[in-house]
Amino acid sequence: MSQTLQATYAAKRKARRFAVQGIYEWQMSHNPVHQIEARTRAENAMHKVDLSYYHELLTQVVENHEALDALLIPVLDREISALDGVELATLRLGAYELKEHLEIPYRVVLDEAIELAKHFGGADSHKYINGVLDRLAQSLREAEKQQAK
């Protein structure tokens, strides 16, 4: 992998980390997204973050949370209201990437969500995140999953 590609990948990974924190904050506080984003940018060293991707993830996941929840509900084994806040933020972000970023292989989306859950979530939440997003990928990325077999 070239250094440029590695830098791009790392910048997107950092964007996801900040986005999941912002989504979580929005879920808990319902503060306006632009305020969450402005504060995050002011309080953190963001020079190695893909800022446009961070902005897209944060704003689009919040704006489309109901549609994302509608995708998630059929693949959950519990009520969406019973999910931990970090799990919900991570699942919404993963669902968004599975649906809207077909250029990102579904396994990368799952791996990134697992890493977010390991970093921010409870002890075994990464296993739950993996299972839910894998089931969601069955419908959103059916052709890609067939090719991967």
Side-chain angles (χ1 to χ4, degrees), residues 46-149:
M46 305 284 284
H47 60 283
K48 291 187 177 181
V49 176
D50 183 332
L51 292 174
S52 64
Y53 199 57
Y54 162 68
H55 174 78
E56 175 193 343
L57 291 174
L58 179 59
T59 59
Q60 293 304 303
V61 168
V62 169
E63 187 174 308
N64 297 297
H65 72 278
E66 290 174 347
L68 295 170
D69 291 355
L71 292 172
L72 290 166
I73 287 169
V75 295
L76 294 175
D77 65 352
R78 61 187 91 154
E79 294 295 319
I80 202 160
S81 60
L83 291 173
D84 169 84
V86 172
E87 288 175 341
L88 182 56
T90 305
L91 287 170
R92 284 173 167 167
L93 188 142
Y96 176 80
E97 284 191 310
L98 283 172
K99 183 175 185 295
E100 301 297 335
H101 283 280
L102 301 180
E103 77 282 4
I104 303 172
Y106 84 92
R107 287 187 173 159
V108 172
V109 174
L110 268 61
D111 287 347
E112 289 295 314
I114 289 165
E115 289 305 313
L116 288 168
K118 284 179 178 177
H119 187 77
F120 295 114
D124 285 334
S125 68
H126 66 282
K127 294 175 186 174
Y128 184 71
I129 298 289
N130 181 51
V132 170
L133 291 179
D134 190 56
R135 286 190 296 278
L136 183 58
Q138 293 283 13
S139 59
L140 292 180
R141 302 283 190 96
E142 183 179 2
E144 185 183 350
K145 282 196 73 150
Q146 291 300 322
Q147 284 182 329
K149 286 185 177 177

Side-chain angles (χ1 to χ4, degrees), residues 14-41 43-44 46 54-63 65 85-86 88-90 92-93 116 120:
K14 289 176 178 149
R16 285 183 189 97
R17 279 192 170 201
F18 282 111
V20 85
Q21 289 175 298
I23 294 161
Y24 175 83
E25 179 181 337
W26 172 81
Q27 290 170 175
M28 297 297 120
S29 68
H30 292 285
N31 289 337
V33 173
H34 70 275
Q35 286 179 1
I36 294 169
E37 183 173 359
R39 187 187 41 70
T40 299
R41 286 182 182 221
E43 293 177 359
N44 294 280
M46 305 284 284
Y54 162 68
H55 174 78
E56 175 193 343
L57 291 174
L58 179 59
T59 59
Q60 293 304 303
V61 168
V62 169
E63 187 174 308
H65 72 278
V86 172
L88 182 56
T90 305
R92 284 173 167 167
L93 188 142
L116 288 168
F120 295 114

